[in-house]
């Protein structure tokens, strides 16, 4: 599960094997599992977009679940025959098939194929993903040229095609801006880009806000070069996406520069520097801790720790107050307040200690949970974890650990549906928070503080009470005369120096050398990452990894009815000198181990601190929010399984789809979810000239649907205005030719 050795070569090898041996690659796996694995392959070959792929996992899981549930006597569908946030998916029913298993397999396969084909047609490795999807469809005995959506004939293929068509249409109006390639519509960064090939960070204007990074070459976590070297903020407006189980009572809407930011499970303001003394101190402590943990990344330091569940895992309740973070994390030695497990409850025996260099543990954590390069992003990583659990011989496939034993197909479609709902909502919540709070990353904050000096001693050089970094003996000090960092003419004397990972410039060959740890100028600090990546291109607060992971851990715990991995132990082996990509290592064979799903989640969170990506302030709120999201998503999914579903509703006044309009679809559909008796519709061009007008009396039930043929209007941006008796709404639409 997760990342693999020599991942690029292995990725290509797996594809070659797939073409050679077809579906036997998956053995006896259910058809749902086969299409889930194919989607994960597509994600690994696409741009590293965790928000977009959480949504892809959700939509594929809906397709798999609905084509199973439509033939079940108890479960109810999510999409077929339902209205999802005002989007209607009409369904007149389909005749009972003579061969239930065959009908489900056929309907699932066509629905999955159409969704994957549509979503990955223009991905960087579409030349691999699309043929692999077609090959799987063919190996299952189906013809991709069958495109009919007329399921009234009783055709399972047509049903699958129809369901995929409706899900894809829904995706064009769900708030993701898929029609324009998920581009940002209004977010603007507060800071100029940090030039990573330059020292310091003197250009930052607001040290509390996110700062883009400018690199000579930027390669995303999936190994794709991004033109320009200065990537935009990924998905800062993702709070606009329609959720799964998030409720209107979870939502706070903020406004900045005239635009709205939707925040679910609002955690409040993170520690900001310069607001007050307490918040400033917490800001400095958190980012200084990230640098201090960088000092743990050299296996030559001789520090050995037990990384088995006997010593790691079983955390106490998470702190709910930011000042309490200091007692939860170990500033100097690393790690959190985990207490370990006295015994494995499945065997009744103590866990076997595994003593390894702390540096190897920290480095493997940072790379394994980084989900890149060539990996499946955090939401996909948790699907690989679920599949790992599903393959375990000791797993008993009983829902919540109770009742009747499920067959593989039922277990897979239900587990995917519940987990996907959680991953989808985690993306919406975490990125909604990221977009609004727009919080700074460690590389920007540490270099900024180092530029301003130290705040600990007014009588020492380079003192800055407000923006200086706190000195810590052996970790954060000042350069003195005679220091190796002093410079030829002592030009660096008095500057801040950090004892930490030295950075990628010290790696001459990633296959045989390491950077190691030592004193560097603070203005040159670098996270434990590749020089072509540095930090994900979006704000830090809250940690997406922490949110996704805790949500997934809750789903897996509730799904299996057991907080422990099957057998009381989950594992991933990292071979000596073969696993690490950033540099050589690990220096010994080691195996990541987790007793419980929450232990794995907590380990994910720590990996981001050792990787230089997040301070504690990003981590804890993500864990707390993820817990709420995972529980809510699982409980909502369960209502569909029992046939008593009640989808959360929102007071969205208007939805418009598709947007943009294309030559393939000239009809614009407006759904009005407001109780009004008349509506006036006006279309304006971008210069404010009225081009079209219509007034209609509303006689049908909500939502009121208006279909307009706008295909004759030229390419461009327009404003669509709707006016009721005491209400109006104006939205942008794009017509593309």
């Amino acid at each position: 599960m997760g990342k693999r050795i020599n991942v690029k070569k292995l990725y290509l090898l797996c594809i070659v094997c797939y073409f050679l041996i077809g579906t036997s690659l998956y053995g006896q796996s259910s058809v749902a599992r086969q299409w889930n694995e194919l989607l994960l392959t597509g994600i690994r070959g696409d741009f590293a977009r965790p928000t977009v792929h959480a949504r892809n996992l959700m939509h594929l899981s809906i397709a798999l679940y609905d084509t199973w549930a439509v033939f079940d006597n108890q479960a109810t569908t999510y999409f077929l025959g339902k209205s999802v946030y005002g989007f209607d998916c009409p369904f007149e029913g389909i005749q009972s098939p003579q061969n239930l298993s065959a009908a489900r397999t056929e309907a699932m396969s066509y629905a999955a194929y159409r969704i994957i084909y549509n979503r990955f047609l223009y991905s960087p490795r579409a030349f691999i993903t699309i043929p692999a999807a077609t090959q799987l469809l063919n190996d299952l005995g189906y013809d991709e040229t069958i495109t009919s959506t007329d399921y009234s004939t009783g055709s399972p293929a047509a049903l699958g095609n129809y369901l995929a068509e409706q899900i894809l249409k829904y995706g064009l109006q769900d708030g993701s801006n898929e029609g324009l390639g998920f581009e940002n519509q209004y977010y603007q960064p507060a800071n100029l880009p940090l030039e990573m090939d330059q020292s310091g960070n003197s250009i930052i204007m607001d040290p509390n806000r996110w700062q883009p990074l400018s690199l000579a070459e930027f390669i995303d976590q999936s190994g794709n070069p991004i033109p320009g070297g200065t990537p935009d903020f990924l998905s800062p407006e993702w709070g606009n996406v329609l959720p799964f189980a998030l409720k209107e009572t979870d939502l706070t809407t903020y406004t900045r520069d005239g635009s709205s930011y939707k925040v679910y499970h609002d955690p409040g303001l993170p520690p900001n520097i310069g607001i007050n003394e307490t918040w400033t101190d917490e800001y400095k402590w958190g980012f200084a801790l990230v640098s201090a943990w960088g000092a743990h990344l050299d296996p030559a330091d001789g520090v050995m720790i037990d990384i088995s569940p006997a010593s790691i895992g079983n955390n106490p309740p998470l702190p709910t107050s930011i000042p309490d973070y200091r007692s939860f994390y170990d500033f100097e030695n690393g790690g959190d307040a985990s207490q370990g497990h006295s015994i494995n409850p499945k065997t009744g025996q103590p866990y076997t200690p595994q003593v390894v260099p702390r540096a190897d543990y920290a480095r493997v954590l940072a790379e394994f949970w980084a989900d890149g390069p060539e990996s499946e992003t955090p939401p996909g990583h948790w699907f690989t974890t679920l599949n790992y659990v599903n393959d375990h011989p000791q797993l008993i496939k009983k829902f919540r650990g109770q009742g009747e034993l499920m067959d593989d197909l039922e277990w897979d479609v239900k587990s995917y549906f519940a987990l996907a709902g959680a991953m989808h909502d985690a993306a919406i919540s975490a990125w909604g928070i990221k977009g609004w709070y727009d919080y700074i990353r460690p590389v920007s904050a540490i270099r900024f503080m180092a530029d301003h000096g130290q705040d600990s001693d007014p009588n020492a050089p380079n003192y800055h009470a407000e923006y200086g970094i706190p000195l810590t003996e052996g970790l954060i000090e000042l350069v003195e005369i005679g220091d190796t960092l002093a410079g030829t003419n002592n030009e660096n004397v008095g500057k801040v120096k950090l004892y930490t990972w030295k950075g990628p410039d010290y790696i001459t060959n990633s296959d045989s050398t390491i950077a190691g740890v030592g004193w560097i100028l603070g203005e040159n600090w670098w996270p434990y990452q590749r020089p072509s990546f540095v930090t994900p291109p979006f704000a830090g607060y809250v940690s997406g990894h922490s949110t996704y992971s805790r949500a997934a851990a809750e789903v897996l715990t509730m799904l299996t009815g057991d907080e422990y991995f099957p057998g009381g132990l989950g594992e991933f082996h990292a071979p000596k000198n073969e696993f690490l990509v950033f540099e050589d290592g690990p220096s010994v064979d080691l195996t990541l181990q987790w007793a419980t799903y929450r232990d794995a989640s907590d380990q994910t969170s720590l990996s981001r601190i050792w990787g230089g990506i997040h301070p504690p302030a990003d981590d804890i709120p993500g864990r707390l929010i993820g817990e709420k999201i995972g529980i809510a998503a699982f409980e909502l999914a369960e209502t569909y399984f029992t046939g008593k579903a009640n989808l959360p509703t929102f007071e969205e006044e208007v939805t418009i789809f598709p947007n943009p309009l294309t030559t393939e679809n000239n009809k614009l559909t407006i759904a009005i979810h407001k109780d009004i008796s008349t509506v006036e519709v006006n279309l304006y061009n971008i210069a404010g000239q009225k081009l079209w007008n219509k007034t209609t009396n509303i006689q049908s039930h909500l939502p009121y649907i208006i279909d307009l043929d706008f295909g004759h209007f030229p390419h461009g941006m327009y404003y669509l205005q709707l006016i009721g008796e005491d209400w109006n709404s104006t939205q942008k639409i794009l017509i593309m030719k």
Side-chain angles (χ1 to χ4, degrees):
M1 54 187 243
K3 186 177 168 184
R4 297 293 189 267
I5 306 160
N6 295 323
V7 285
K8 187 171 184 178
K9 292 180 181 178
L10 185 60
Y11 177 87
L12 296 174
L13 178 62
C14 286
I15 295 300
V16 171
C17 290
Y18 183 84
F19 279 113
L20 290 175
I21 60 178
T23 55
S24 63
L25 185 67
Y26 302 115
Q28 300 301 312
S29 297
S30 75
V31 66
R33 170 69 176 271
Q34 293 178 54
W35 285 109
N36 174 262
E37 295 281 7
L38 199 288
L39 175 61
L40 292 173
T41 296
I43 291 173
R44 294 181 189 111
D46 194 27
F47 296 108
R49 302 178 292 180
T51 49
V52 172
H53 293 311
R55 177 175 172 271
N56 284 332
L57 286 159
M58 178 80 252
H59 289 179
L60 182 75
S61 297
I62 290 170
L64 296 175
Y65 171 73
D66 267 21
T67 46
W68 177 88
V70 74
F71 298 112
D72 188 75
N73 292 327
Q74 181 181 28
T76 186
T77 56
Y78 177 84
F79 213 73
L80 283 170
K82 301 294 175 61
S83 179
V84 180
Y85 297 113
F87 182 94
D88 292 326
C89 178
F91 180 60
E92 302 300 327
I94 189 168
Q95 64 190 50
S96 298
Q98 292 184 347
N99 187 325
L100 177 61
S101 177
R104 279 176 165 160
T105 297
E106 184 174 343
M108 282 184 186
S109 296
Y110 277 92
Y113 176 75
R114 300 299 173 202
I115 290 173
I116 291 173
Y117 186 95
N118 179 276
R119 293 287 166 79
F120 294 95
L121 182 59
Y122 301 108
S123 75
R125 293 186 199 139
F127 66 94
I128 292 175
T129 302
I130 300 304
T134 305
Q135 183 69 49
L136 175 56
L137 189 75
N138 295 160
D139 286 346
L140 290 167
Y142 308 123
D143 181 356
E144 71 275 12
T145 65
I146 297 175
T147 59
S148 171
T149 59
D150 183 10
Y151 61 84
S152 66
T153 62
S155 165
L159 176 63
N161 288 334
Y162 172 74
L163 176 58
E165 177 187 71
Q166 294 301 305
I167 291 174
L168 293 170
K169 285 182 178 179
Y170 173 77
L172 294 175
Q173 55 90 65
D174 69 347
S176 67
N177 198 29
E178 180 186 355
L180 292 178
F182 308 104
E183 288 184 359
N184 299 339
Q185 300 181 78
Y186 45 81
Y187 170 86
Q188 294 294 329
N191 291 302
L192 294 173
L194 172 61
E195 300 279 350
M196 287 303 299
D197 60 357
Q198 304 294 320
S199 295
N201 191 7
S202 60
I203 65 169
I204 193 167
M205 300 296 294
D206 188 340
N208 295 310
R209 300 279 296 277
W210 179 72
Q211 182 179 34
L213 300 181
S214 184
L215 308 173
E217 179 186 33
F218 179 79
I219 300 176
D220 73 9
Q221 283 179 284
S222 292
N224 301 299
I226 305 300
T230 307
D232 293 332
F233 191 132
L234 174 74
S235 306
E237 302 148 15
W238 206 253
N240 293 331
V241 176
L242 296 173
F244 177 63
L246 295 171
K247 301 180 180 64
E248 197 164 16
T249 52
D250 301 327
L251 175 63
T252 304
T253 301
Y254 293 102
T255 302
R256 182 170 63 227
D257 300 329
S259 298
S260 296
Y261 290 82
K262 293 183 177 180
V263 175
Y264 292 90
H265 296 298
D266 185 6
L269 192 71
N272 273 209
I273 197 168
I275 286 187
N276 58 51
E277 184 176 353
T278 299
W279 239 226
T280 294
D281 287 348
E282 297 305 331
Y283 176 105
K284 294 178 178 182
W285 174 84
F287 288 113
L289 178 143
V290 176
S291 175
W293 283 26
H296 306 154
L297 301 176
D298 190 341
D301 64 13
V303 178
M304 307 292 286
I305 61 172
D306 176 23
I307 66 169
S308 76
S311 299
I312 292 178
N314 191 24
N315 263 317
L318 296 172
T320 55
S321 168
I322 291 175
D324 290 338
Y325 295 175
R326 297 189 184 222
S327 60
F328 186 78
Y329 299 91
D330 190 327
F331 186 96
E332 293 192 9
N333 300 307
D336 57 19
S338 64
Q339 305 161 87
H341 301 264
S342 58
I343 63 168
N344 181 337
K346 306 303 179 183
T347 65
Q349 300 297 315
Y351 286 99
T352 302
Q354 184 189 176
V355 179
V356 302
R358 176 183 60 185
D360 285 331
Y361 173 68
R363 292 188 302 155
V364 169
L365 275 196
E367 291 208 26
F368 175 74
W369 290 113
D371 306 297
E374 305 285 0
S375 197
E376 56 278 317
T377 77
H381 198 153
W382 279 96
F383 269 82
T384 68
T385 302
L386 172 61
N387 287 336
Y388 165 84
V389 170
N390 290 347
D391 287 341
H392 199 288
Q394 293 187 42
L395 176 68
I396 300 174
K397 295 182 177 180
K398 293 184 177 182
F399 190 75
R400 286 187 179 266
Q402 302 172 354
E404 296 181 1
L405 193 67
M406 293 184 185
D407 62 41
D408 289 345
L409 181 62
E410 180 179 0
W411 178 266
D412 286 344
V413 296
K414 289 183 175 179
S415 63
Y416 291 158
F417 184 65
L419 181 59
M423 297 298 91
H424 183 60
D425 283 357
I428 293 169
S429 177
W431 265 258
I433 294 166
K434 287 176 184 289
W436 170 245
Y437 287 106
D438 200 31
Y439 198 47
I440 191 170
R441 288 282 192 169
V443 66
S444 296
I446 291 171
R447 289 190 175 198
F448 161 77
M449 290 190 293
D451 270 357
H452 284 81
Q454 53 88 16
D455 74 347
S456 300
D457 186 354
N459 299 315
N462 212 2
Y463 176 73
H464 197 291
E466 186 175 18
Y467 293 150
I469 194 169
L471 299 177
T472 303
E473 185 177 358
L475 291 170
I476 306 172
E477 298 181 359
L478 296 179
V479 176
E480 299 178 349
I481 294 175
D483 196 308
T484 56
L485 295 173
T488 305
N489 300 308
N490 289 325
E491 64 270 16
N492 295 327
V493 171
K495 287 186 177 181
V496 171
K497 66 177 183 178
L498 307 173
Y499 189 74
T500 189
W501 188 64
K502 291 192 293 185
D505 288 346
Y506 290 84
I507 302 171
T508 56
N509 185 331
S510 61
D511 291 330
S512 59
T513 61
I514 68 171
V517 167
W519 288 104
I520 64 169
L521 294 176
E523 63 193 30
N524 295 328
W525 184 85
W526 203 285
Y528 180 68
Q529 302 291 327
R530 291 176 287 118
S532 57
F533 178 69
V534 186
T535 292
F538 40 83
Y541 183 77
V542 295
S543 166
H545 274 72
S546 294
T547 312
Y548 283 126
S549 298
R550 191 53 178 262
E554 297 303 318
V555 169
L556 289 171
T557 297
M558 299 175 77
L559 172 70
T560 61
D562 191 344
E563 64 180 318
Y564 285 85
F565 277 84
L569 189 66
E571 294 185 310
F572 175 82
H573 183 62
K576 176 181 177 180
N577 294 333
E578 293 186 22
F579 175 73
L580 296 184
V581 175
F582 304 160
E583 58 183 10
D584 191 27
S587 66
V588 300
D589 282 328
L590 68 81
T591 302
L592 299 181
Q593 296 179 317
W594 321 283
T596 71
Y597 303 115
R598 293 187 188 99
D599 290 346
S601 168
D602 291 341
Q603 195 180 84
T604 309
S605 298
L606 296 182
S607 78
R608 306 307 279 166
I609 302 177
W610 268 308
I613 297 300
H614 287 293
D618 295 350
D619 171 24
I620 294 297
R623 297 197 210 189
L624 293 169
I625 292 168
E627 181 177 343
K628 295 176 183 176
I629 287 172
I631 293 171
F634 183 85
E635 289 179 343
L636 178 60
E638 187 176 18
T639 66
Y640 285 91
F641 307 156
T642 60
K644 301 175 182 177
N646 186 18
L647 182 69
T649 58
F650 284 80
E651 295 301 321
E652 291 284 348
E653 294 181 333
V654 178
T655 52
I656 298 174
F657 55 94
N659 189 9
L661 246 62
T662 65
T663 52
E664 288 77 19
N665 190 345
N666 291 326
K667 185 177 71 173
L668 184 74
T669 299
I670 306 170
I672 301 175
H673 312 276
K674 189 172 180 66
D675 189 12
I676 54 178
S677 59
T678 62
V679 61
E680 178 184 353
V681 183
N682 298 309
L683 184 71
Y684 296 86
N685 63 19
I686 201 162
Q689 299 171 310
K690 185 185 290 188
L691 306 178
W692 188 89
N693 168 268
K694 179 181 180 180
T695 299
T696 306
N697 293 323
I698 294 178
Q699 299 176 343
S700 64
H701 64 280
L702 294 179
Y704 177 60
I705 304 297
I706 304 174
D707 290 325
L708 303 173
D709 185 358
F710 279 177
H712 59 284
F713 287 105
H715 172 92
M717 186 71 72
Y718 297 84
Y719 293 97
L720 188 71
Q721 182 186 47
L722 307 173
I723 303 175
E725 294 87 346
D726 56 355
W727 163 84
N728 69 79
S729 173
T730 301
Q731 299 194 31
K732 291 180 182 179
I733 64 169
L734 178 64
I735 297 176
M736 299 178 65
K737 298 294 187 180

